[in-house]
Amino acid sequence: MRVVLASNNAKKLTELRSLFAALPVELVSQKELGITEAEEPHVTFVENALAKARHAARAFGGAAIADDSGLCVDALGGAPGVASAHFAPVEPQAAEREVQRALQDAANNRLLLDRLRAFQAASERRASFVSTLVALRHADDPEPLIAFGRWSGEILFAPRGSGGFGYDPLMFIAAFGRSVAELDAEAKNAISHRALAAREMAALMRAQWLR
């Protein structure tokens, strides 16, 4: 079964391909198919994921899956939330998408640390990575599959580690004594918010689509 991933994020595609490896599903990115990105005007992860999945499914003419994920910080009332990817205002500076994404990530991390400057205790810096996955058999599917994942930790005072992407260098996981950016891919894919959502989604797909 061929399913289009409604994302142009190469690292997210690699991560999800690994997480869905046991399923008889070929995950192809919308970028490979020339599908444009969807608008994400909503204030919740599930609404944005559904909008992205519908857009990709309609352009593809078949099944699609979308992930909307981000960082929710308790002290900031859940921010940056759905605005996680573009938390800090950054002007385009690089033609290469991944280079521009790295610049955006760095700016986002700086802004987050600035917003949390007044919060010094670990208990005041609690945060969660949240992932919502939505899968559709076609654009007008009345029964979308929806899966959720949450991965909690606390925000460090400075970045640590060079792996992952986004806010990974700032999210400290006490059980490992490391930031997410210091975890290897195998460990991250076993316990991350996206891994939790992907496992739930894989079970739903087996039960509903692949039976």
Side-chain angles (χ1 to χ4, degrees):
M1 182 179 189
R2 203 165 191 232
V3 180
V4 60
L5 172 64
S7 174
N8 291 334
N9 188 321
K11 292 183 179 179
K12 187 178 291 187
L13 176 66
T14 299
E15 204 169 272
L16 284 173
R17 276 178 172 163
S18 174
L19 292 166
F20 285 126
L23 290 179
V25 167
E26 179 192 356
L27 201 61
V28 57
S29 78
Q30 63 181 14
K31 183 179 181 180
E32 294 174 44
L33 301 173
I35 298 172
T36 59
E37 291 190 333
E39 295 293 325
E40 301 176 47
H42 306 292
V43 298
T44 65
F45 294 114
V46 66
E47 289 174 297
N48 282 331
L50 184 56
K52 290 191 284 188
R54 280 182 175 150
H55 173 81
R58 182 163 286 112
F60 178 52
I65 187 168
D67 160 76
D68 201 49
S69 55
L71 179 70
C72 295
V73 181
D74 293 0
L76 302 181
V82 297
S84 292
H86 301 284
F87 188 39
V90 174
E91 292 295 326
Q93 300 175 47
E96 172 55 43
R97 186 179 187 87
E98 293 306 312
V99 173
Q100 182 64 33
R101 192 183 300 278
L103 293 172
Q104 179 73 61
D105 286 349
N108 291 341
N109 287 340
R110 287 194 298 270
L111 179 58
L112 179 61
L113 290 175
D114 184 62
R115 294 281 176 88
L116 289 175
R117 195 180 304 278
F119 302 94
Q120 295 294 306
S123 61
E124 296 179 305
R125 300 174 74 89
R126 287 192 297 263
S128 297
F129 278 134
V130 177
S131 173
T132 299
L133 286 172
V134 172
L136 300 171
R137 292 166 292 187
H138 52 82
D140 298 315
D141 191 344
E143 190 182 11
L145 303 181
I146 304 175
F148 302 94
R150 177 183 293 273
W151 195 17
S152 298
E154 63 189 59
I155 303 300
L156 293 165
F157 292 90
R160 279 173 46 179
S162 57
F165 56 95
Y167 300 93
D168 287 359
L170 291 181
M171 178 65 106
F172 180 75
I173 307 300
F176 286 87
R178 298 179 182 180
S179 76
V180 174
E182 292 174 312
L183 298 176
D184 60 40
E186 184 177 357
K188 181 181 178 182
N189 285 348
I191 60 172
S192 74
H193 55 307
R194 196 167 290 116
L196 295 173
R199 279 199 288 273
E200 184 179 336
M201 178 58 74
L204 289 171
M205 291 174 75
R206 284 193 188 94
Q208 302 297 324
W209 291 11
L210 304 171
R211 57 189 174 185

